Amino acid sequence: MTTTTELLKGAAELFPGEVVTSAHVRHIELPGAGRFALITLDNGLDHTKPTTFGPQSLANLDAAIDQVEKEAADGAITGAGITGKPFIFAVGADLKGVELLKRHEDALAIGKGGHDVFRRLSSLAVPTFAYYNGAAMGGGVEVGLHCTYRTVSASVPAFSLPEVFLGLVPGWGGCALLPNLIGADRAVTVIIENSLNQNRQLKGAQVLDLGIADALFEAADFLEQSLVWTAAVLKGEIEVVRPEVDRGEAWDQAVARGRFIADGKVHGAAPAAYRALDIIAAAKDGDLGRGFDAEDAALADLIMGGELRSGIYAFNLVQRRGKRPVGAPDKALARPVGKVGVVGAGLMASQLALLFARRLEVPVVLTDIDQERIDKGVGYVHGEVDKLLAKGRIGQDQANRLKGLVTGHLDKATAFGDADFVIEAVFEELGVKQKVFAELEAVVRPDAILATNTSSLSVTEMAAKLEHPERVVGFHFFNPVAVLPLLEIVRGAGTDDPSLATAFAVAKKLRKTAVLVKDAPAFVVNRILTRFMGEIQNVIDEGTPVAVAEKAIEPLGLPMSPLVLLELVGPAIGLHVSQTLHGAFPDRFTVSENLAAVVKAGKRGFYVYDSGRPELDPEVAALLVQGDSVLTEQQVRDRVLDAVAQEIGLMLDEGVVAEAQDIDLCLITGAGWPFHLGGVTPYLDREGVSQRVNGKPFLAPGVASVPA
């Protein structure tokens, strides 16, 4: 039988580039409680390079436990603990190693190796303690679950089991141990609900409230206080009492709730959540050995599946490519921005003003056509600041400062004369925007950047009549501004490098994911979504029932159906963008007369929600004029995906972005497309659509798939 050491040695050979985590053992005399062994996980790098578990790292922990196990058996220690380097406990398996795996048996070895090492902590001859001193995710959380007791720092910013979000299951004990510790319902919240809600993180106090940790201490002396608490536990002065876990109907109801959440988020399209729920369901009898075996099997199957590879690809896009935008000019060319102007005081403009004030911490001035609108816009910002204060997100001093930074003025010359960066957020019409830019050029400094938040219009045409078109740049945000990270930065024909570099520098300070986009109609996200939505609208117009057209897209597991998305965007905006794109590409983009009728009738969408669920609005149904061509769900899906694959192929041929990776990054961060799709191109490749439509896949083998 293969030993853990042999398993890990074989896995380490497959992953020579691992950033190795050491496991140092030191000994501490606990007053009145004897000699204590403390293992510290540390990869030798600062907190910006979190500690992970690759095969060699697991082997190092295994060796440390060898030492501690012998000391415990010899009676040389009374307890053992595990903690992390400053600010970081551990953030789980090293995904770079997982990407390299090509065989099912190698994937199985990773799961089994982690289990074999971690479970040794629960079988030592002395009590074991996990001290969650900083960020803990995935395997970092799980190694602590194998311990007898756990403490958590009040300052922990991120604590989660994010595996389902990426296309995995918590496979080193999470699915089996967590429900047996805190109950199935709470475990479903952590493993399924939080993961599928864009990888929601827990803070230290929440970890305690859920019952994952037994005690909470402040960061300043977290380890010292944890050790004092440990001594009290070992001496019997503190008894940790945990509520009894309900293994009756409540367990089954929790699993059912998890399936309902998964169905609502991925519609059966991604297997990870369902595999995790199967293991949680089976863990009801408390048989941990069987649970760990099920985790190993699920982990291996999912590692060799397309969903995880797409998930890792998407994760890498957001974490790496998103932070180093391809094509951005040298950042040394960027000019400082000490004051921002916003033209307009409507909802979008007000959201922008708040974002600029919060992130740049510089004065922001709004203008509009009358004082009433300006007052309303500034009032909106102040109201949002008050909400942040009420939620404890900011303090009173910061709230006062933010309110003081955002002001309004009717006169553009007074408002923007000394501004470094002015962005317009006015009506989406070229003539209106050209007029605004002409007015701005007359009053701003020669080196001030002029930015447009246009969603579909030509930045080049907007700047065409200006004396200095080189300082005009597209700066397209996505709604809601505070939530969606994407910022499409558009280079017009005349935009120079210093202006573009400044735009990217501002985007970074705003904490946005910036992607360089060519000045092409509707740029990236809106062009793809409009083609996608347009094809849905076409099949409805031709005669396919609305319900069939909507249900056809469910296997993609998108965050919402096409017509619910249209409602969120607004039918009038959707119509306007489709008209813009029809003007540019009349052979591929249509303007739906049914959609135009819905907009003309003043309808906010296709659905009513009287029953709590979306149902076709009878008034909208009465407006629809349909043909007699009825397609099946499969035919609708094929037609929509073919259209999207064609459009992306054409966009890449046109050089709208540098690579297919930028398309996916835009859809993930600007439209909320799920990680399990990898954006869209890995899915189109996996389903054979790219090959069928364009004669080739978008991505090279192994980029978002199992290496050949």
Side-chain angles (χ1 to χ4, degrees), residues 324-574:
R324 290 187 285 278
V326 175
D330 184 349
K331 58 187 176 187
L333 295 172
R335 302 188 193 106
V337 173
K339 182 179 178 181
V340 173
V342 181
V343 184
L347 182 58
M348 176 57 95
S350 302
Q351 288 183 72
L352 295 181
L354 176 63
L355 180 69
F356 278 99
R358 282 194 76 192
R359 300 288 183 237
L360 269 58
E361 297 183 333
V362 301
V364 179
V365 186
L366 294 155
T367 65
D368 213 312
I369 57 173
D370 59 51
Q371 190 64 43
E372 186 182 344
R373 290 173 199 242
I374 292 171
D375 292 344
K376 187 178 178 184
V378 173
Y380 169 86
V381 175
H382 288 191
E384 291 300 302
V385 170
D386 286 336
K387 288 179 189 174
L388 292 169
L389 177 63
K391 291 176 183 172
R393 302 269 297 278
I394 58 175
Q396 186 64 61
D397 287 347
Q398 192 180 358
N400 294 342
R401 192 164 62 251
L402 286 173
K403 286 182 180 180
L405 287 174
V406 180
T407 58
H409 209 289
L410 261 175
D411 180 54
K412 288 188 177 68
T414 305
F416 304 145
D418 58 346
D420 304 293
F421 189 99
V422 183
I423 183 166
E424 67 74 25
V426 299
F427 187 66
E428 189 75 347
E429 208 217 61
L430 186 62
V432 173
K433 292 183 185 286
Q434 285 177 328
K435 182 172 180 288
V436 165
F437 274 153
E439 291 171 358
L440 288 174
E441 190 167 52
V443 298
V444 299
R445 291 200 320 260
D447 60 344
I449 305 297
L450 299 180
T452 170
N453 185 43
T454 182
S455 59
S456 61
L457 301 175
S458 168
V459 175
T460 302
E461 285 183 47
M462 230 174 277
K465 298 176 182 178
L466 298 181
E467 197 175 325
H468 293 287
E470 69 276 2
R471 58 172 168 181
V472 177
V473 62
F475 214 62
H476 180 217
F477 290 87
F478 288 78
N479 213 354
V481 169
V483 177
L484 292 174
L486 181 63
L487 188 49
E488 290 178 338
I489 295 185
V490 187
R491 182 172 207 153
T495 309
D496 64 17
D497 280 356
S499 300
L500 202 61
T502 305
F504 275 101
V506 169
K508 187 172 184 179
K509 285 187 177 177
L510 294 175
R511 301 181 200 169
K512 292 295 181 184
T513 300
V515 176
L516 181 62
V517 179
K518 183 181 174 184
D519 188 18
F523 316 127
V524 176
V525 173
N526 284 342
R527 180 162 164 185
I528 293 170
L529 290 186
T530 303
R531 186 77 197 272
F532 173 79
M533 303 281 289
E535 214 54 53
I536 293 281
Q537 193 70 58
N538 286 343
V539 300
I540 291 171
D541 293 353
E542 290 164 15
T544 299
V546 169
V548 174
E550 288 267 83
K551 202 164 188 310
I553 305 304
E554 281 189 1
L556 275 73
L558 296 178
M560 62 189 74
S561 74
L563 293 183
V564 172
L565 175 62
L566 179 66
E567 194 170 297
L568 185 70
V569 171
I573 293 173

Side-chain angles (χ1 to χ4, degrees), residues 53 89-93 118 137-144 160-163 172:
F53 293 117
F89 182 78
V91 297
F118 288 2
M137 298 177 199
V141 169
E142 289 172 298
V143 70
S160 64
L161 290 171
E163 287 84 354
W172 285 342

Side-chain angles (χ1 to χ4, degrees), residues 96 271 312 328 465:
K96 293 193 290 295
I312 294 175
K465 298 176 182 178

Side-chain angles (χ1 to χ4, degrees), residues 599-678:
V599 172
K600 187 177 179 183
K603 288 290 178 182
R604 296 181 61 185
F606 276 62
Y607 293 128
V608 289
Y609 295 84
D610 299 338
S611 65
R613 293 180 307 171
E615 293 176 357
L616 187 61
D617 184 340
E619 292 179 17
V620 169
L623 292 171
L624 297 182
V625 178
Q626 293 182 279
D628 55 8
S629 174
V630 179
L631 302 184
T632 64
E633 288 176 24
Q634 183 64 53
Q635 288 171 322
V636 171
R637 188 159 56 251
D638 287 347
R639 189 161 146 184
V640 170
L641 293 177
D642 285 2
V644 170
Q646 181 195 32
E647 202 59 39
I648 292 171
L650 291 166
M651 290 166 71
L652 292 171
D653 290 345
E654 293 167 25
V656 174
V657 289
E659 295 177 291
Q661 283 88 333
D662 291 313
I663 298 275
D664 293 319
L665 182 58
C666 284
L667 284 174
I668 292 163
T669 57
W673 279 42
F675 268 44
H676 73 259
L677 294 183

Side-chain angles (χ1 to χ4, degrees), residues 1 8 32 55 59 62 74 104 124 167 171 186 198 209 221 253 269 282 412 481 507 510 524 550 558 623 637 666:
M1 186 175 170
L8 294 174
D62 198 39
D74 292 346
H104 193 274
L124 293 180
R186 288 179 168 190
Q198 294 299 307
D209 290 344
D221 56 354
Q253 288 173 346
K412 288 188 177 68
V481 169
L510 294 175
V524 176
E550 288 267 83
L558 296 178
L623 292 171
R637 188 159 56 251
C666 284

